[in-house]
């Protein structure tokens, strides 16, 4: 086992994972995982600079993380940063601050590296499951976009398309500033048409039809899993590596798209910020499963942060 610390610093949040990794067996033992909202990208588009208060929030989180890394005795540390830190005029201030606090320089990775880390994080533990056929198709259904990555041990092809749960909700379900409650059949059909067009686009560069095991990441997928499992509250350990059938996803998708806001909010595993967007997110997952003929989706709580950890193990 190698004890490592991975830091993923995005535009909005910074996350830490301290874990023991065994590359030979694919085993990752999580010791600490946490997220802090720092809004590092605050005002960068407008000013071209990282705001002093944004830097201080980020450095404060780094100081907290440095204490944890020392406490756990991590042997190696890797810090991956968003493009916001690369494009800012005062990037040197950010680099110097992180280096002083954590002893490592922040790295800005390419889209290809990001896909590789996400794929590794999601599938590394699954490679020991002989009953899961290759290649894997990893789908990360986010707020603004969905990433598709196909591969066996490593990424063979990847593509990002603009069909996130928030984007689809805002584009089709918001009328006069209010989310339809519940949406009409016409609104759902419009979302479905967008999803199908995006899947056509993804299929141009990613061999979706070759996928034999579908692996789903992010909040829309994990929420659907929590509902399918009937959990009394969200429990990561129960959701991670659960296998949710196509029939369950179809039933939950239909239920989310016909329920009222109050009915969705009353579901025990539902995060308050996901109540209005879960219908669109579930529909994206359903459409993907139908497109590739998947009988189930394997749900993973592990993502790019775990991939960063594996890269230094």
């Amino acid at each position: 086992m190698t004890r490592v610390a991975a830091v993923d610093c995005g535009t909005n949040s910074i996350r830490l994972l301290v874990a023991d990794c065994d590359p030979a067996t694919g085993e990752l033992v999580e010791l600490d995982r946490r997220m802090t909202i720092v809004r590092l990208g605050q005002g960068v588009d407008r000013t071209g600079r990282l705001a002093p208060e944004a830097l201080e929030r980020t450095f404060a989180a780094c100081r907290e993380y440095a204490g944890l890394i020392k406490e756990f005795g991590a042997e190696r540390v890797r810090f991956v940063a968003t493009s916001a830190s690369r494009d800012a005029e005062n990037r040197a201030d950010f680099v110097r601050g992180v280096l002083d606090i954590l002893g490592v320089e922040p790295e800005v990775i390419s889209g290809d590296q990001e896909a590789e880390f996400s794929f590794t994080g999601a599938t590394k533990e699954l490679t020991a499951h002989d009953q899961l056929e290759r290649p894997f198709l990893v789908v990360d259904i986010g707020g603004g976009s969905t990433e598709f990555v196909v591969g066996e041990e490593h990424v063979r092809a990847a593509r990002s398309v603009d069909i996130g749960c928030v984007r689809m909700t805002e584009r089709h379900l918001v009328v006069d500033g209010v989310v339809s409650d519940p949406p009409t059949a016409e609104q759902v059909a419009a979302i479905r048409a967008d999803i199908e067009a995006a899947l056509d686009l993804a299929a141009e560069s990613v061999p979706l039809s070759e996928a034999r095991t579908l692996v789903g990441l992010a909040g829309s997928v994990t929420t659907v899993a929590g509902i399918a499992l009937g959990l009394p509250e969200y429990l990561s350990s129960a959701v991670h590596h659960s296998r949710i059938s196509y029939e369950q996803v179809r039933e939950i998708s239909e239920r989310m798209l016909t329920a009222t806001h109050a009915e969705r909010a009353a579901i025990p595993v539902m995060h308050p910020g996901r109540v209005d967007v879960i219908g669109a997110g579930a529909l994206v997952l359903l459409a993907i499963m139908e497109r590739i003929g998947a009988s189930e989706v394997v749900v993973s709580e592990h993502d790019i942060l775990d991939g960063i950890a594996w890269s230094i193990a």
Side-chain angles (χ1 to χ4, degrees):
M1 286 282 190
T2 302
R3 183 159 295 182
V4 301
V7 183
D8 175 29
C9 185
T11 303
N12 190 52
S13 65
I14 184 170
R15 301 187 299 151
L16 168 71
L17 170 64
V18 182
D20 286 332
C21 302
D22 185 345
T25 63
E27 183 184 6
L28 181 149
V29 179
E30 180 180 313
L31 303 174
D32 198 290
R33 187 188 297 261
R34 61 185 63 201
M35 177 189 74
T36 309
I37 302 297
V38 294
R39 302 193 309 282
L40 177 62
Q42 173 194 331
V44 170
D45 284 342
R46 180 174 51 84
T47 66
R49 297 177 62 82
L50 297 166
E53 60 270 29
L55 284 170
E56 184 45 48
R57 287 192 298 267
T58 305
F59 294 156
C62 287
R63 284 188 282 271
E64 177 192 351
Y65 291 178
L68 289 163
I69 291 167
K70 183 178 180 181
E71 179 185 331
F72 282 107
E75 301 167 44
R76 303 175 189 170
V77 182
R78 188 170 189 179
F79 189 113
V80 170
T82 180
S83 58
S85 63
R86 176 187 59 203
D87 301 335
E89 291 175 11
N90 56 339
R91 177 182 184 274
D93 296 338
F94 171 68
V95 172
R96 185 167 54 250
V98 172
L99 185 58
D100 287 346
I101 297 166
L102 289 169
V104 294
E105 282 199 27
E107 305 171 51
V108 178
I109 59 175
S110 67
D112 287 344
Q113 286 176 298
E114 188 172 346
E116 185 73 38
F117 285 160
S118 293
F119 182 82
T120 301
T123 64
K124 185 73 172 180
E125 295 167 300
L126 297 177
T127 55
H129 293 256
D130 293 333
Q131 72 273 27
L132 295 179
E133 292 185 73
R134 277 59 156 189
F136 295 112
L137 170 61
V138 175
V139 293
D140 186 341
I141 303 174
S145 63
T146 294
E147 280 68 53
F148 295 81
V149 188
V150 163
E152 286 83 10
E153 299 299 321
H154 297 282
V155 172
R156 198 199 313 167
R159 183 72 181 264
S160 178
V161 292
D162 292 337
I163 49 168
C165 59
V166 175
R167 187 188 300 272
M168 292 295 94
T169 300
E170 291 180 347
R171 182 181 294 172
H172 297 293
L173 303 186
V174 176
V175 180
D176 296 327
V178 179
V179 178
S180 298
D181 188 29
T184 66
E186 290 77 14
Q187 288 174 313
V188 173
I191 294 177
R192 188 64 186 245
D194 268 9
I195 295 171
E196 294 298 338
L199 288 174
D200 290 341
L201 199 60
E204 291 177 4
S205 48
V206 177
L208 302 180
S209 61
E210 294 181 21
R212 292 297 173 264
T213 296
L214 176 65
V215 183
L217 314 183
S220 290
V221 178
T222 57
T223 300
V224 167
I227 297 170
L229 295 169
L231 299 178
E233 61 182 9
Y234 192 82
L235 188 61
S236 176
S237 59
V239 168
H240 187 50
H241 289 174
S242 60
R243 297 163 76 159
I244 310 303
S245 71
Y246 166 76
E247 289 76 16
Q248 288 174 301
V249 173
R250 184 184 61 189
E251 186 274 325
I252 291 167
S253 176
E254 291 173 356
R255 180 178 155 199
M256 294 302 98
L257 289 166
T258 55
T260 64
H261 180 280
E263 289 168 339
R264 294 191 302 274
I267 296 170
V269 299
M270 188 71 67
H271 187 282
R274 200 161 293 282
V275 176
D276 285 331
V277 300
I278 186 60
L283 188 57
V284 172
L285 176 60
L286 178 67
I288 292 168
M289 295 182 78
E290 291 178 348
R291 175 64 68 99
I292 69 170
S295 61
E296 67 176 13
V297 57
V298 179
V299 182
S300 178
E301 286 273 10
H302 291 179
D303 55 17
I304 186 173
L305 196 56
D306 303 79
I308 296 167
W310 282 117
S311 75
I312 52 175

